[in-house]
Amino acid sequence: MPNLKEAAALLARANDVTLLGHVRPDADALGSALALGRALQLRGAKVRVSVGEPEEMPETLRSLDVGGLYVPASELPESEQLLVALDTPTPGRLGKLAPRVDAVRAAGGEVLVIDHHASNVFFGTTHVVDDTAEATAVLVFALLEELGTEIDEPIARCLYAGLVTDTSGFRRARPSTHVMAAKLLEAGVNPDKVVREIVEDHPFAWLPMLSGVLAGARLEPDEARGFGLAHAVVTLDAARSVRAEEVEAVIDVIRSTREAGVAVVLKEAEPIGPGQRWTVSLRSAGGVDVSAAAGELGGGGHRQAAGCTAEGTAGEVLDRLRAALSRAPLL
């Protein structure tokens, strides 16, 4: 694995560390950061875990922060000796915390990037980047083994959360990743509890929200290079009754339809200027490289799971996505 020993040596001598996940973090981003953060804290380092957006940790992931490592972005110190960016392919995905990368480097500090996205631009001073890893949690687990860290239950739970979500419930996991999962279970992880808390636990308000969104879903069987495009839109009004976690879960419903070679969900974001702004989730059933389509709109991700941010009406954004998908490589 690239630079594993170098990264482990860097972490071993660190005594003041800030670990960052990408904005609107998922279980892989925060689980990886909290697992590594706890390991470093147990070694005696001062540790902070944060994201650029939102200020508060997503409710479904709060049980992972056993050591109270999470710090809102607004409460971070001005600088740190070591900055670790996890599950983040570009500085822009750090949101308002992106300037810290240049600030740490300018001050002579170190920036360690741990990521599994093919679109990573290698913006740190040291990198553990492997796009064949199913999750960033896989890379953190390898780092902890290199460090000789004992994997306790809280660390294992954080890593398992990232693993089970980024592999779609192990449907995309290699044999070696199942072996890793077995080691995490041996450390005491309760898999049913983790999945229920992070993936399946929704308030009742999710049902009427989902009902309204699905009523407007559309299938275009000839789009996405003939593989079929299913799409839905979540407006700000629809999202106000639920948490961000419920909005993010809509894509998993849309992608489950048999005819959806590509699934797209547009989620309206608070406007910065006079127009509408959307965060877009794309999923591929395996025929089309959605990371290429997202890349045309300034985003990125994996070949089968990607995202971007776009401005305009929902119809205008969908038109741009249709065009980008028509040019996307086949898998």
Side-chain angles (χ1 to χ4, degrees):
M1 193 171 292
N3 293 329
L4 197 62
K5 291 186 181 298
E6 181 183 350
L10 179 64
L11 293 168
R13 62 177 181 265
N15 53 39
D16 187 277
V17 188
T18 296
L19 301 103
L20 302 180
H22 56 71
V23 292
R24 298 180 296 279
D26 57 10
D28 192 29
L30 263 184
S32 296
L34 289 166
L36 182 56
R38 176 172 172 82
L40 296 176
Q41 184 186 51
L42 293 175
R43 295 177 67 94
K46 184 174 183 179
V47 176
R48 298 162 295 271
V49 172
S50 191
V51 298
E53 178 189 330
E55 274 285 290
E56 293 187 359
M57 183 185 295
E59 184 179 341
T60 52
L61 302 178
R62 289 176 190 169
S63 64
L64 300 179
D65 188 13
V66 172
L69 299 179
Y70 189 83
V71 176
S74 61
E75 298 178 16
L76 288 174
E78 290 186 6
S79 63
E80 51 277 312
Q81 299 170 1
L82 173 62
L83 182 70
V84 184
L86 299 104
D87 204 40
T88 303
T90 66
R93 287 287 286 150
L94 295 173
K96 63 185 178 183
L97 296 178
R100 298 183 80 90
V101 173
D102 287 339
V104 169
R105 297 186 65 163
E110 300 278 355
V111 178
L112 171 60
V113 176
I114 308 171
D115 185 35
H116 71 131
H117 291 89
S119 55
N120 195 284
V121 298
F122 291 78
F123 57 93
T125 56
T126 303
H127 305 89
V128 177
V129 176
D130 183 357
D131 66 355
T132 67
E134 300 96 325
T136 296
V138 172
L139 303 177
V140 170
F141 182 78
L143 270 171
L144 295 182
E145 286 197 317
E146 185 70 28
L147 281 165
T149 301
E150 180 180 349
I151 306 295
D152 63 7
E153 191 278 334
I155 292 175
R157 190 181 346 141
C158 290
L159 294 175
Y160 190 87
L163 204 59
V164 72
T165 53
D166 258 35
T167 61
S168 301
F170 296 101
R171 292 195 297 271
R172 294 183 291 104
R174 294 173 295 183
S176 60
T177 308
H178 282 279
V179 172
M180 171 185 162
K183 292 179 180 178
L184 300 178
L185 296 180
E186 289 171 354
V189 172
N190 181 332
D192 181 61
K193 188 172 186 292
V194 170
V195 173
R196 283 183 180 276
E197 288 180 348
I198 294 175
V199 180
E200 298 176 352
D201 181 33
H202 298 292
F204 185 83
W206 186 55
L207 296 180
M209 183 278 284
L210 188 62
S211 174
V213 169
L214 295 183
R218 295 293 180 267
L219 173 67
E220 301 179 31
D222 296 327
E223 293 294 337
R225 303 200 61 175
F227 285 93
L229 170 66
H231 55 82
V233 176
V234 183
T235 64
L236 278 173
D237 282 343
R240 284 196 175 97
S241 62
V242 296
R243 307 169 301 180
E245 290 94 317
E246 277 66 61
V247 176
E248 294 301 322
V250 173
I251 187 66
D252 293 319
V253 179
I254 302 299
R255 71 185 296 188
S256 68
T257 55
R258 180 183 305 153
E259 299 90 346
V262 172
V264 170
V265 173
L266 273 62
K267 299 158 288 185
E268 189 176 11
E270 293 290 347
I272 296 176
Q276 288 176 291
R277 187 167 63 97
W278 307 86
T279 59
V280 182
S281 295
L282 300 96
R283 300 291 185 269
S284 171
V288 181
D289 181 353
V290 291
S291 69
E296 285 198 29
L297 277 71
H302 307 291
R303 296 176 181 87
Q304 291 182 251
C308 60
T309 301
E311 295 183 357
T313 65
E316 291 168 344
V317 173
L318 282 168
D319 283 343
R320 297 204 292 275
L321 286 167
R322 291 187 191 97
L325 288 167
S326 72
R327 295 185 287 269
L330 299 180
L331 296 175

